[in-house]
Amino acid sequence: MSWLPDRMLMNDLVFRLQYYKNDATWELGDDCLLLIKNKLLMDSYKAYFGQKSGFTPSYIFELGMFSGGSIALWHEIFQPKKIVGADLRENKENDYFRRYIAQNGLSDRIKTYWKTNQADTARLRQIALAELPEGIDLVFDDASHMYEATKQSFEALFPLLRPGGLYIIEDWNWSHSAACQREDSIWRDKIELTRLIFDLAEAVGSSSSAYISSLQVFDGYAVVEKSGRKFDPGEQFRLERIISRRQV
């Protein structure tokens, strides 16, 4: 990756950095992929995955793909057999993204689903089971960042992870930023996503839970690793059922 003030270059691809966009200095128009990530986050990911040299995800599911830029990014990094993306918005794929798919023969390896709510657990499972029938190795949740919706997605997709699979929740710490704490912030009255991290920590520490082998928390994302224990296909997975708490 080559990082410039308003773009990141990788394998002949141009990613426009939306956090630093400046229309006055941008000369490429729509001839780029849009990316809502920064160097600090990607450096952290590089360090994390660098310590997991044996982890080679073949099947990836991303929630919240914006316009497809992150789908292309993860495909270039991991070279999976298949990556599936879902997003609540209308189709925002531009010609640059479509050319990337066509010129590299990726129409069978990259699948995108638009107008898909991450809280629609039945739809998420339907997509995952149809596109990734062998199971999932890696999930990125960069969607709503809302507590209930993010939790519902986790409960729908985590059971479909293969042993040793990773479930990554991005931006869990938004409620701890000054911008989200201001009186006029649209986030001020939302339930903080930190609560889900607490739920997951409780699940890891509960003797009744053998599904989650570890939880690692970083600035900007948290990683949940699945154990080798299999789920009962007839059982609906709920975090509360595997958390043991004292009676008060």
Side-chain angles (χ1 to χ4, degrees):
M1 298 181 186
S2 177
W3 295 87
L4 301 174
D6 61 353
R7 71 197 70 187
M8 186 270 287
L9 310 178
M10 181 183 186
N11 299 344
D12 297 325
L13 295 175
V14 179
F15 294 84
R16 184 176 189 184
L17 304 177
Q18 294 300 96
Y19 285 131
Y20 312 108
K21 61 182 296 186
N22 185 341
D23 292 334
T25 60
W26 186 258
E27 80 284 5
L28 296 177
D30 293 330
D31 208 27
C32 61
L33 293 165
L34 305 184
L35 189 65
I36 309 183
K37 299 190 188 300
N38 56 36
K39 186 176 186 298
L40 183 64
L41 175 66
M42 296 310 298
D43 282 347
S44 181
Y45 273 136
K46 180 179 179 180
Y48 173 75
F49 285 109
Q51 297 174 2
K52 299 182 72 66
S53 57
F55 181 70
T56 54
S58 296
Y59 303 105
I60 301 175
F61 199 122
E62 183 181 33
L63 299 169
M65 57 183 168
F66 193 53
S67 62
S70 53
I71 288 278
L73 174 70
W74 298 130
H75 182 270
E76 290 297 302
I77 291 174
F78 293 111
Q79 293 294 306
K81 293 180 180 177
K82 196 169 197 179
I83 181 168
V84 178
D87 199 283
L88 181 63
R89 307 191 315 161
E90 298 276 355
N91 190 328
K92 294 295 181 179
E93 298 173 8
N94 63 12
D95 289 340
Y96 189 94
F97 179 78
R98 295 189 184 98
R99 288 200 306 272
Y100 168 72
I101 300 293
Q103 293 173 359
N104 292 282
L106 298 174
S107 58
D108 291 330
R109 294 176 60 184
I110 294 180
K111 297 292 185 179
T112 57
Y113 286 83
W114 302 93
K115 299 179 68 175
T116 301
N117 193 326
Q118 75 166 137
D120 187 346
T121 56
R123 180 59 176 153
L124 289 187
R125 287 181 61 86
Q126 181 187 46
I127 294 171
L129 292 171
E131 297 286 0
L132 307 169
E134 297 184 48
I136 307 172
D137 296 305
L138 178 60
V139 175
F140 286 100
D141 185 339
D142 190 19
S144 72
H145 308 309
M146 296 290 98
Y147 170 71
E148 287 294 347
T150 306
K151 183 179 179 181
Q152 289 170 328
S153 296
F154 179 84
E155 292 175 334
L157 297 179
F158 186 75
L160 303 181
L161 282 178
R162 302 200 288 188
L166 304 178
Y167 197 108
I168 296 179
I169 300 171
E170 292 195 349
D171 295 321
W172 65 268
N173 53 345
W174 60 260
S175 65
H176 306 287
S177 70
C180 293
Q181 296 170 2
R182 294 199 308 260
E183 291 288 345
D184 60 346
S185 171
I186 61 173
W187 297 82
R188 183 173 172 80
D189 62 344
K190 306 297 183 183
I191 299 175
E192 60 276 10
L193 193 51
T194 312
R195 185 178 300 186
L196 180 57
I197 306 304
F198 291 157
D199 293 341
L200 293 167
E202 289 182 301
V204 172
S206 298
S207 58
S208 59
S209 170
Y211 298 113
I212 300 174
S213 61
S214 70
L215 167 67
Q216 293 180 270
V217 182
F218 302 90
D219 180 11
Y221 64 100
V223 185
V224 188
E225 183 172 355
K226 188 178 180 295
S227 71
R229 181 175 176 179
K230 294 183 178 180
F231 285 89
D232 180 348
E235 179 182 357
Q236 197 170 27
F237 176 61
R238 290 288 183 269
L239 268 175
E240 283 77 8
R241 295 176 184 170
I242 63 172
I243 296 174
S244 177
R245 295 187 178 100
R246 294 180 298 171
Q247 297 299 313
V248 178

